[in-house]
Amino acid sequence: MAPRVYITRRLPQPALELVAAACDVAVWDQDEPVPRDVLLAAARSADGLLTMLSDRIDGELLDAAPGLKVVANMAVGYDNVDLAELRRRGVILTNTPDVLTATTADMAWTLMLAAARRLVEGHKLIEAGGWQSWSPGFMTGHDVSGATLGVVGAGRIGGAVLRRGRGFDMALRYHNRSRSPELEQQTGAQFLPLDALLAEADFVVVAAPLTAQTRGLFGAREFALMKPTAVFVNVARGPIVQEAALYQALRAGRPWAAGLDVFEREPIGADHPLLGLPNLVAAPHLGSATVSTRLKMATTAARNLVAVVTGGAPLNPV
Ligand code: GLV
Ligand code: GLV
């Protein structure tokens, strides 16, 4: 009998075909998240699940899925998964590293440039008929070229953000759980304690995973350490930042601006307080959102799923 798997979202066709060739597959064939009760019911008979970061994979779900061997999460992050509960039951977790590194680093740069050069504010101003003339002080921002870039969380994505900084003649700083001689050698980036990095950087980019250690890492104290001209960017996970503190900090003008791809509770609506601030650029969690990268993420998750349910080794075990 072919292994039974459940996929929690509509996937690009090549990824689906990869799974269907080896498995008895059922799909929540929608662009919206699978309802919890549907997922719980589908998990009951599943050998494997291919999941999204919006699916909560916890003890309750695992209790409902006695035959489960693998959760293939279509993301590099896996804070939606209770890893301890999986380990306790011997269920394998896989993720999709590497394939999204460059694309997500590009997103960090999109937000850095957009926030520093007031792109969204300018676009809105034109739309509102507010563009009067060229003038010396009109909508002036801050230079990216030649500035100091500080990356917090210098793994694959953080490293790629730093490498791009070389092309902009930036001074490179990073903070990480542990120092990386390899990264320092590759990029010339200098390791700093977090507080020192926050005080020195013109651009602070967060690329750390969400863990017990990074949850709420950025609060009023950290924002107060930043330069009044600093730009703060988060392409990692919303809960690393205390959003209410960021709101107050941006209102007070320190940091000077922020670019966020992630939020404490996603999705956010038009009534979110941060959206009322002119110095905030928001994106709806688009870090890995290119056609090519999403296809690679889907096929990577599919290959991991198939490998484990057919008795092989996972390609990207967590
Ligand atoms: C997206 O946020 C991911 O973790 O892949
Ligand atoms: C994720 O890929 C990271 O290491 O930043």
Side-chain angles (χ1 to χ4, degrees):
M1 219 176 73
R4 297 176 68 163
V5 301
Y6 189 70
I7 300 177
T8 67
R9 204 68 67 89
R10 180 173 294 157
L11 286 190
Q13 197 59 27
L16 191 59
E17 282 167 13
L18 237 153
V19 180
C23 305
D24 178 356
V25 55
V27 185
W28 178 254
D29 197 14
Q30 312 275 338
D31 288 323
E32 295 79 49
V34 60
R36 183 74 177 172
D37 55 323
V38 175
L39 177 58
L40 287 171
R44 201 145 292 153
S45 56
D47 296 299
L49 295 174
L50 194 158
T51 56
M52 307 297 131
L53 53 87
S54 47
D55 303 318
R56 190 161 41 82
I57 309 300
D58 55 9
E60 181 197 28
L61 179 92
L62 297 170
D63 284 341
L68 195 65
K69 297 182 184 66
V70 58
V71 173
N73 209 40
M74 186 181 144
V76 67
Y78 43 85
D79 47 281
N80 59 309
V81 178
D82 188 332
L83 197 50
E85 292 287 338
L86 255 75
R87 283 211 178 107
R88 220 150 58 72
R89 295 166 172 84
V91 177
I92 291 171
L93 173 66
T94 68
N95 68 343
T96 63
D98 305 317
V99 294
L100 49 59
T101 298
T103 302
T104 307
D106 289 354
M107 189 67 200
W109 273 83
T110 303
L111 291 170
M112 285 167 58
L113 289 160
R117 303 303 299 275
R118 306 174 67 170
L119 184 68
V120 174
E121 195 186 347
H123 183 108
K124 284 184 183 163
L125 179 124
I126 295 172
E127 272 185 348
W131 187 14
Q132 307 293 348
S133 70
W134 190 95
S135 107
F138 176 57
M139 291 213 71
T140 48
H142 291 289
D143 280 313
V144 179
S145 292
T148 297
L149 170 59
V151 170
V152 177
R156 289 167 290 241
I157 293 168
V161 172
L162 284 165
R163 282 197 298 279
R164 283 155 176 70
R166 299 188 62 176
F168 282 74
D169 303 320
M170 297 181 92
L172 305 178
R173 308 283 183 263
Y174 78 101
H175 178 76
N176 202 43
R177 263 178 320 172
S178 51
R179 282 184 69 153
S180 168
E182 193 188 325
L183 178 72
E184 293 177 18
Q185 213 217 334
Q186 264 183 16
T187 64
Q190 182 194 337
F191 178 90
L192 286 178
L194 182 60
D195 286 3
L197 179 146
L198 298 179
E200 226 183 88
D202 299 304
F203 292 81
V204 175
V205 176
V206 184
L210 175 61
T211 64
Q213 287 73 41
T214 63
R215 185 175 292 275
L217 181 64
F218 286 85
R221 193 189 78 89
E222 285 67 32
F223 294 125
L225 288 173
M226 291 182 194
K227 292 184 179 178
T229 50
V231 172
F232 177 76
V233 168
N234 186 5
V235 289
R237 285 293 183 270
I240 296 174
V241 175
Q242 299 171 33
E243 229 161 58
L246 178 59
Y247 175 81
Q248 294 302 338
L250 284 170
R251 270 190 59 161
R254 190 192 201 110
W256 180 78
L260 303 180
D261 189 39
V262 289
F263 298 84
E264 255 173 26
R265 256 190 302 278
E266 298 176 6
I268 63 169
D271 57 349
H272 193 289
L274 281 170
L275 297 177
L277 299 171
N279 52 348
L280 186 278
V281 176
H285 205 144
L286 299 180
S288 64
T290 66
V291 174
S292 149
T293 292
R294 284 289 163 81
L295 178 59
K296 286 181 202 152
M297 289 166 68
T299 52
T300 300
R303 286 201 183 96
N304 276 291
L305 178 75
V306 170
V308 178
V309 296
T310 57
L315 312 165
N316 308 102
V318 169

